[in-house]
Amino acid sequence: MNEATNPQLVLAIVLGVLFSLGTFLVLRRDVIRVIWGVTIISQAANVYLVTMGKLGGSVPIFGHGSHGGGHITDPVVQALVLTAIVIGFGTTAFSLVLTYRVYQEHGTIDLNELGDST
């Protein structure tokens, strides 16, 4: 197979970009950027888990029985990632609401200024 069309190589590059972008955002002074960085890192971890669950393969229901012998996609990984996406959405929404409350209380979301005001 040609390396340029290898989906695992493309996903590895995308994962590297996502993890580095998330790390860059986590190291910023703005609370909103930190929250987005954590969210991007968690979504990159979800993409990594799906990649490790194998991309190609038959549907698990049809993989057994008469079609056996072929590669089957693992449905447990997909269920785990779906659960992680829902939980991640909830924690991101909660974090943004807390950030808004901090802004109302202190008038800033800069981490250095918040550290000096305590």
Side-chain angles (χ1 to χ4, degrees), residues 27-49:
L27 297 175
R28 301 292 96 196
R29 291 176 18 180
D30 188 10
V31 177
I32 299 291
R33 289 189 176 118
V34 171
I35 292 171
W36 281 114
V38 170
T39 302
I40 289 172
I41 288 174
S42 69
Q43 294 305 316
N46 291 338
V47 172
Y48 174 73
L49 287 173

Side-chain angles (χ1 to χ4, degrees), residues 39-88:
T39 302
I40 289 172
I41 288 174
S42 69
Q43 294 305 316
N46 291 338
V47 172
Y48 174 73
L49 287 173
V50 169
T51 304
M52 292 301 107
K54 301 292 183 189
L55 296 175
S58 62
V59 179
I61 293 174
F62 299 130
H64 300 291
S66 63
H67 298 288
H71 177 71
I72 300 171
T73 303
D74 188 11
V76 175
V77 175
Q78 296 171 6
L80 173 74
V81 168
L82 181 62
T83 305
I85 289 170
V86 171
I87 292 171

Side-chain angles (χ1 to χ4, degrees), residues 65-109:
S66 63
H67 298 288
H71 177 71
I72 300 171
T73 303
D74 188 11
V76 175
V77 175
Q78 296 171 6
L80 173 74
V81 168
L82 181 62
T83 305
I85 289 170
V86 171
I87 292 171
F89 177 73
T91 55
T92 300
F94 183 67
S95 300
L96 290 173
V97 168
L98 284 178
T99 302
Y100 180 68
R101 182 71 182 126
V102 166
Y103 178 74
Q104 283 182 332
E105 193 72 26
H106 298 282
T108 184
I109 53 174

